[in-house]
């Protein structure tokens, strides 16, 4: 995104009468308002491919930005056949590009948790949004076919000498006593070719918290300058004690040798700065490849258990070459965008055109106010958004829901240039905290009117960000009348 385009977008927005438009290069780091077990793969085609747990199917998403993951284009790539062994409790899918093909590794069962196993889907198409992901079957050590979830692939070496290893969380036997981290060699992306080896079990107090059962799960490979790490989740995922631990492989050692892995004696990423129970992460690079980012889920508020949102933030490396994740970033304060991402226009809701009972009131919003009263047929909040090029843009809405309505359906209708543009859903924001929801906005070159109208329930609006990076999709001609 050029500075000229960013400046022109700002000029267009101001010229259409919205004094609240600002050019910004930061964001509030909730990248999905509800979800768990995020996996992000930055492919060499320039897309970030994204999956996370839905519980019922596998949805593949793609985005050009990390900060806009929640507004990614999406498609359902696998819908299990009802009544089959892998048709229920579909957890933690991961998409990998291995040896010229696309694979998705995902846990599923038949409705009985004890029957959870890892399965693999395969797609030979060059573009994972083309072709079909077909179920190849279970991926397991035949000699120790036990409960298994959270499978990932550790890649070591390159080219013809590349070696693949499957890492996952599983039970030692047939009872849910604890979850351990296992590794096994892979003969190819579809097959485990040797016995499983235990790398870690919960032993430290921070790993056994909230048990039984005690938990080591979600192992994620992280490699830099030849050093190999496995970052995993520990403690009960339903508890405020959930956190990340780490295993480090000795230089040049065999990853199948348990003695070659060293476990940290304390969490490497844990609750802090108002963020509770960060866990189950993945790692990616900024669009320009200059920064490392961790994408993870965290509880929406203390005691919320499996009610979680997905966050993202950068991390660094210490003098010994170990990852330094710091503390979780509070979504109450914006952080810089990933390097190489386009800028965005920020519109404060109190500076928008307000109709009907919609009104601005002072609060702790980003501009010192928020908009309430989006109820009744005449209520509207309308932003005047100007962009240089027509296309489908990602809009990020900072919102807050009523704590008493945590389980209610809450959404608002979107109108773009007088045409219905779908709805925007507002998940529980976390006990009165601010969160971020996403929408895809079909905008024309030049001025546009983006309106929010009442739907179900109530939500307060703080601001609208429009990411200035459209894919160039054609949008319909403008309408002259509002679809009230």
């Amino acid at each position: 995104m050029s500075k000229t385009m960013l400046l022109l977008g700002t000029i267009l927005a101001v010229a259409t009468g919205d004094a609240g438009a600002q050019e910004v290069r930061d964001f509030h780091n909730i990248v999905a308002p509800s979800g768990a077990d995020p996996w992000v793969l930055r492919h060499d085609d320039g897309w970030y491919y994204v999956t996370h747990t839905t519980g019922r199917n596998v949805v593949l998403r793609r985005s050009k930005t990390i900060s806009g993951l929640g507004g990614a284009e999406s498609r359902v790539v696998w819908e299990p056949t009802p009544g089959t062994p892998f048709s229920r409790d579909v957890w933690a899918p991961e998409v990998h590009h291995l040896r010229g093909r696309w694979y998705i590794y995902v846990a599923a069962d038949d409705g009985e948790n004890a029957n959870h196993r890892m399965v693999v889907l395969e797609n030979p198409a060059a573009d994972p949004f083309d072709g079909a992901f077909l179920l190849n079957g279970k991926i397991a050590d035949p000699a120790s076919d036990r409960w298994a979830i959270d499978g990932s692939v550790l890649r070591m070496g390159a080219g013809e000498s590349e070696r693949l290893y499957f890492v996952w969380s599983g039970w030692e036997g047939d009872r849910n006593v604890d979850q351990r981290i296992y590794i096994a060699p892979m003969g190819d992306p579809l097959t485990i070719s040797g016995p499983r080896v235990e790398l870690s079990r919960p032993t430290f107090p921070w790993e056994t918290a909230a048990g039984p059962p005690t938990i080591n799960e979600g192992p994620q490979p992280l490699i830099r300058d030849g050093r190999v790490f496995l970052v995993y989740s520990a403690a009960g995922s339903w508890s405020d004690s959930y956190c990340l631990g780490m295993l480090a492989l000795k230089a040049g050692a065999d990853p199948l040798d348990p003695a070659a892995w060293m476990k940290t004696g304390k969490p490497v990423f844990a609750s802090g700065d108002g963020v509770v129970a960060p866990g189950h992460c993945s790692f990616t690079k900024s669009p320009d490849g200059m920064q490392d980012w961790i994408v993870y889920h965290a509880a929406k508020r203390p005691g919320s258990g499996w009610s979680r949102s997905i966050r993202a933030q950068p991390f660094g490396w210490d003098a010994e070459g170990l990852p330094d994740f710091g503390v979780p970033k509070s979504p109450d304060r914006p952080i810089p965008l990933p390097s190489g991402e386009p800028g965005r226009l920020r519109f404060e809701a109190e500076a928008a055109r307000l109709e009907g009972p919609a009104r601005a009131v002072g609060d702790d919003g980003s501009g010192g106010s928020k908009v309430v009263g989006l109820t009744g047929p005449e209520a509207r909040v309308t932003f005047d958004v100007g962009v240089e090029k027509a296309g489908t843009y990602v809009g990020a809405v900072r919102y807050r829901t009523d704590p008493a309505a945590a389980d209610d359906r809450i959404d608002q209708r979107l109108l773009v240039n007088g045409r219905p543009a779908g709805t925007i859903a507002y998940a529980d924001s976390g006990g009165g905290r601010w969160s971020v929801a996403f929408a895809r906005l079909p905008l024309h070159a030049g001025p546009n009117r983006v309106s929010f109208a009442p739907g179900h329930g109530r939500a307060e609006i703080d601001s609208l960000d429009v990411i200035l990076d459209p894919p160039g999709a054609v949008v319909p001609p403008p309408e002259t009348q509002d679809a009230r």
Side-chain angles (χ1 to χ4, degrees):
M1 182 63 59
S2 69
K3 291 183 178 179
T4 301
M5 180 176 172
L6 189 59
L7 177 61
L8 179 58
T10 305
I11 291 172
L12 283 168
V14 173
T16 55
D18 194 333
Q22 303 177 59
E23 171 189 333
V24 298
R25 297 202 60 82
D26 59 29
F27 75 114
H28 296 89
N29 74 320
I30 293 178
V31 296
S34 192
D37 311 323
W39 168 262
V40 180
L41 170 68
R42 177 175 172 259
H43 192 47
D44 55 15
D45 61 2
W47 289 100
Y48 291 93
Y49 291 97
V50 188
T51 57
H52 63 74
T53 292
T54 70
R56 62 187 183 279
N57 56 20
V58 175
V59 178
L60 182 63
R61 298 168 170 84
R62 64 181 174 189
S63 170
K64 286 294 181 71
T65 64
I66 296 171
S67 67
L69 291 176
E73 177 187 5
S74 66
R75 61 170 284 214
V76 175
V77 295
W78 185 56
E79 193 85 50
T81 302
T84 58
F86 308 116
S87 59
R88 302 276 298 277
D89 302 320
V90 180
W91 295 352
E94 292 189 6
V95 61
H96 293 257
H97 190 253
L98 303 169
R99 301 178 181 177
R101 292 186 173 224
W102 291 95
Y103 299 90
I104 290 177
Y105 301 92
V106 61
D109 65 22
D110 57 1
E112 291 290 337
N113 179 47
N115 295 329
H116 252 115
R117 298 294 188 274
M118 290 300 306
V119 298
V120 58
L121 317 174
E122 183 180 27
N123 183 353
D127 182 344
F129 270 55
D130 292 334
F133 280 90
L134 300 179
L135 176 64
N136 178 269
K138 184 167 55 176
I139 181 165
D141 170 10
S144 300
D145 184 7
R146 302 287 189 267
W147 186 92
I149 64 168
D150 295 350
S152 192
V153 177
L154 168 62
R155 305 173 68 175
M156 296 184 62
E160 293 184 359
S161 63
E162 181 184 62
R163 292 163 292 154
L164 304 180
Y165 301 89
F166 201 58
V167 291
W168 72 96
S169 176
W171 295 352
E172 180 187 28
D174 296 322
R175 294 189 304 113
N176 189 10
V177 176
D178 59 26
Q179 292 176 220
R180 305 179 183 186
I181 303 300
Y182 291 95
I183 188 171
M186 301 179 76
D188 56 55
L190 297 169
T191 311
I192 286 178
S193 59
R196 69 175 187 171
V197 174
E198 180 189 321
L199 297 184
S200 176
R201 68 178 67 180
T203 55
F204 291 113
W206 52 271
E207 295 180 294
T208 60
T214 56
I215 306 293
N216 279 182
E217 64 184 10
Q220 290 297 328
L222 178 60
I223 300 176
R224 180 178 187 259
D225 295 336
R227 298 199 63 180
V228 180
F229 308 93
L230 281 178
V231 179
Y232 64 93
S233 302
S237 60
W238 55 89
S239 75
D240 291 353
S241 299
Y242 207 48
C243 60
L244 296 179
M246 188 174 75
L247 301 169
L249 182 65
K250 294 178 183 178
D254 180 0
L256 296 175
D257 177 8
W261 293 89
M262 302 298 293
K263 182 190 290 192
T264 57
K266 60 183 180 180
V268 294
F269 198 55
S271 300
D273 199 15
V275 178
V276 180
H280 202 120
C281 66
S282 61
F283 306 104
T284 191
K285 289 278 190 178
S286 58
D288 63 4
M290 299 301 292
Q291 294 176 328
D292 292 296
W293 281 71
I294 180 173
V295 183
Y296 61 97
H297 68 226
K300 294 182 181 180
R301 60 186 179 278
S304 69
W306 288 325
S307 179
R308 300 172 286 203
S309 57
I310 296 175
R311 328 285 181 94
Q313 65 186 71
F315 67 94
W317 301 83
D318 68 17
E320 298 179 358
L322 301 175
D324 181 2
F325 300 112
V327 298
K329 301 290 187 182
S330 170
D332 294 337
R333 299 180 298 275
I335 65 173
L337 288 167
S339 59
E341 280 203 6
R344 47 176 60 196
L345 296 177
R346 180 163 298 151
F347 302 84
E348 295 295 343
E350 62 268 24
R353 292 203 304 274
L354 307 179
E355 302 175 56
R359 66 191 186 280
V361 298
D363 201 275
D364 60 350
S366 57
S369 298
K370 63 183 178 183
V371 168
V372 300
L374 263 173
T375 58
E378 301 303 318
R380 293 287 185 280
V381 177
T382 299
F383 300 91
D384 294 313
V385 180
V387 294
E388 181 186 47
K389 184 170 67 172
T392 300
Y393 290 73
V394 173
V397 181
R398 194 163 187 249
Y399 74 94
R400 182 158 62 190
T401 58
D402 183 343
D407 298 324
D408 295 344
R409 174 185 173 186
I410 301 175
D411 59 34
Q412 291 171 349
R413 293 181 293 120
L414 285 174
L415 304 171
V416 176
N417 296 318
R419 297 175 61 92
T423 60
I424 182 166
Y426 297 119
D428 170 28
S429 64
R433 297 181 173 188
W434 291 104
S435 188
V436 181
F438 295 84
R440 297 176 65 81
L441 306 174
L443 303 180
H444 307 292
N448 296 267
R449 289 171 294 120
V450 177
S451 300
F452 293 76
H456 297 87
R458 300 186 183 189
E460 303 168 347
I461 296 178
D462 177 42
S463 60
L464 167 68
D465 283 7
V466 177
I467 301 174
L468 291 171
D469 187 29
V474 176
V475 297
E479 298 254 334
T480 57
Q481 286 189 322
D482 278 335
R484 304 297 290 189

